[in-house]
């Protein structure tokens, strides 16, 4: 099989970008950053559901998740439900595979000359650093993979439900609306599995709900801000495919 047609090349590009960002988000997600600190403002110190001093401490994985959901909606728009589901399952399998390979790499005996390094003037045990960055707990891995799949299924379902009502109009409504709802689900599923069900932690449901709500407000704002990017990608694809082919693909995808 060769990728000679515009449709096949487009699916290859979108699918590759989708899977790459899904895997990348899992590995950069180990870093927790402060949104307020990054923006140079004071922490909000939110009190919610009896949980004090909450602020926007987010996983760095949120950098790529908006892109993943844009790709989800674009693939959904032009190629339909089956292609999105296939790519979602493929991404989940490849994420699991990546963690399996990383787990094997962590068990390799490090070379003596490599272990002790000086990075930016600071002594660093490279083997400990490697394990600390890549060695995410099994509960977090399982939680993130399940949250990814559940979020994708919800996104696809809601996207097409809205499209049945709006038709070809209001791309922003079906794309942003489906993203907002699926991100809401994703925000709570991963925290519930990784920190509520995990016996290593003793998080109350109030803490799960409070942190999930705070995280979701960040994702809500980002999803709204990314709406123009969705239209830009849509415009670029329409120019690449041509108006007639783009309309035929959108019509076929909706069946």
């Amino acid at each position: 099989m060769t990728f000679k047609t515009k449709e096949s090349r487009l699916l290859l590009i979108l699918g590759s970008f989708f899977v790459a960002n899904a895997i990348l988000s899992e590995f950069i997600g180990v870093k927790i950053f402060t949104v307020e600190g990054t923006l140079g403002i004071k922490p909000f110190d939110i009190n919610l559901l009896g949980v004090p001093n909450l602020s926007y401490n987010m996983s760095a994985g949120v950098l790529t998740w908006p892109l993943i959901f844009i790709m989800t909606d674009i693939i959904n728009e032009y190629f339909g439900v089956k292609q999105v589901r296939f790519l979602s399952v493929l991404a989940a399998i490849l994420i699991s595979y990546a963690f399996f390979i990383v787990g094997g790499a962590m068990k390799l005996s490090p070379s003596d000359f490599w272990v002790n390094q000086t990075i930016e003037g600071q002594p660093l045990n490279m083997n400990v650093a490697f394990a600390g960055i890549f060695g995410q707990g099994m509960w977090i891995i399982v939680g993130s993979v399940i949250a990814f799949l559940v979020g994708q299924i919800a996104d696809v379902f809601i996207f097409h439900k809205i499209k049945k009502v709006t038709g070809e109009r209001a791309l922003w409504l079906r794309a942003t609306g489906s993203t907002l709802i699926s991100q809401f689900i994703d925000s709570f599923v991963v925290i519930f599995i990784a920190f509520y069900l995990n016996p290593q932690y003793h998080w109350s449901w109030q803490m799960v709900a409070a942190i999930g709500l705070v995280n979701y407000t960040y994702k809500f704002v980002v999803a709204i801000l990314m709406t123009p990017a969705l239209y830009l990608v849509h415009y670029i694809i329409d120019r690449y495919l041509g108006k007639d082919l783009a309309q035929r693909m959108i019509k076929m995808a909706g069946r």
Side-chain angles (χ1 to χ4, degrees), residues 138-157:
M138 184 57 64
W139 283 91
I140 294 176
I141 295 171
V142 171
S144 62
V145 171
I146 292 177
F148 169 73
L149 284 174
V150 172
Q152 288 299 109
I153 292 170
D155 189 284
V156 171
F157 177 78

Side-chain angles (χ1 to χ4, degrees), residues 69 150-152 154-155 157-159 161-162 173-188 216 219-220 223:
F69 280 97
V150 172
Q152 288 299 109
D155 189 284
F157 177 78
I158 296 164
F159 183 96
K161 284 294 183 183
I162 297 175
L173 180 61
R174 59 182 178 272
T176 306
S178 61
T179 297
L180 290 175
I181 297 173
S182 58
Q183 286 278 29
F184 181 84
I185 296 170
D186 177 88
S187 296
F188 288 95
Y216 177 68
K219 295 177 181 179
F220 184 97

Side-chain angles (χ1 to χ4, degrees), residues 188-202:
F188 288 95
V189 170
V190 65
I191 295 175
F192 179 77
I193 294 175
F195 299 104
Y196 186 81
L197 295 182
N198 188 348
Q200 292 182 333
Y201 295 90
H202 301 283

Side-chain angles (χ1 to χ4, degrees), residues 155-172:
D155 189 284
V156 171
F157 177 78
I158 296 164
F159 183 96
H160 276 276
K161 284 294 183 183
I162 297 175
K163 191 172 183 179
K164 284 183 178 180
V165 176
T166 63
E168 303 302 326
R169 306 182 312 277
L171 171 64
W172 67 271

Side-chain angles (χ1 to χ4, degrees), residues 111-124:
S111 297
D112 292 337
F113 76 89
W114 174 76
V115 172
N116 297 308
Q117 302 281 340
T118 300
I119 308 295
E120 296 184 356
Q122 298 292 324
L124 184 66

Side-chain angles (χ1 to χ4, degrees), residues 7-253:
E7 307 97 291
S8 60
R9 288 195 295 268
L10 177 62
L11 181 59
L12 176 64
I13 292 169
L14 293 175
S16 299
F17 192 73
F18 173 87
V19 173
N21 275 282
I23 296 174
L24 182 61
S25 68
E26 297 296 334
F27 287 101
I28 67 173
V30 70
K31 179 173 181 176
I32 306 300
F33 73 100
T34 164
V35 176
E36 297 98 325
T38 302
L39 296 176
I41 60 178
K42 293 182 179 180
F44 288 115
D45 288 332
I46 301 168
N47 294 315
L48 185 63
L49 300 177
V51 181
N53 304 320
L54 293 172
S55 58
Y56 287 91
N57 294 309
M58 308 293 297
S59 162
V62 299
L63 294 177
T64 55
W65 278 115
L67 302 177
I68 292 170
F69 280 97
I70 284 179
M71 290 299 99
T72 299
D73 293 333
I74 290 294
I75 295 169
N76 210 347
E77 181 82 352
Y78 289 96
F79 295 98
V81 175
K82 290 183 179 179
Q83 292 294 349
V84 178
R85 287 177 179 169
F86 171 77
L87 288 170
S88 298
V89 172
L90 176 61
I93 292 172
L94 291 176
I95 289 169
S96 302
Y97 168 76
F99 278 121
F100 176 78
I101 295 299
V102 168
M106 289 170 58
K107 295 183 181 298
L108 299 175
S109 297
S111 297
D112 292 337
F113 76 89
W114 174 76
V115 172
N116 297 308
Q117 302 281 340
T118 300
I119 308 295
E120 296 184 356
Q122 298 292 324
L124 184 66
N125 185 308
M126 296 295 288
N127 199 48
V128 173
F130 184 91
I133 291 173
F134 292 109
Q136 299 187 47
M138 184 57 64
W139 283 91
I140 294 176
I141 295 171
V142 171
S144 62
V145 171
I146 292 177
F148 169 73
L149 284 174
V150 172
Q152 288 299 109
I153 292 170
D155 189 284
V156 171
F157 177 78
I158 296 164
F159 183 96
H160 276 276
K161 284 294 183 183
I162 297 175
K163 191 172 183 179
K164 284 183 178 180
V165 176
T166 63
E168 303 302 326
R169 306 182 312 277
L171 171 64
W172 67 271
L173 180 61
R174 59 182 178 272
T176 306
S178 61
T179 297
L180 290 175
I181 297 173
S182 58
Q183 286 278 29
F184 181 84
I185 296 170
D186 177 88
S187 296
F188 288 95
V189 170
V190 65
I191 295 175
F192 179 77
I193 294 175
F195 299 104
Y196 186 81
L197 295 182
N198 188 348
Q200 292 182 333
Y201 295 90
H202 301 283
W203 283 27
S204 64
W205 69 266
Q206 290 95 334
M207 183 172 290
V208 170
I211 293 176
L213 285 171
V214 170
N215 288 352
Y216 177 68
T217 58
Y218 171 86
K219 295 177 181 179
F220 184 97
V221 172
V222 172
I224 297 297
L225 294 177
M226 291 296 289
T227 302
L230 177 72
Y231 276 91
L232 176 61
V233 174
H234 202 286
Y235 171 78
I236 293 171
I237 291 175
D238 282 351
R239 289 290 301 270
Y240 168 71
L241 293 173
K243 185 177 180 180
D244 292 339
L245 177 57
Q247 287 302 315
R248 287 202 305 271
M249 290 175 63
I250 291 172
K251 190 171 293 185
M252 288 293 293

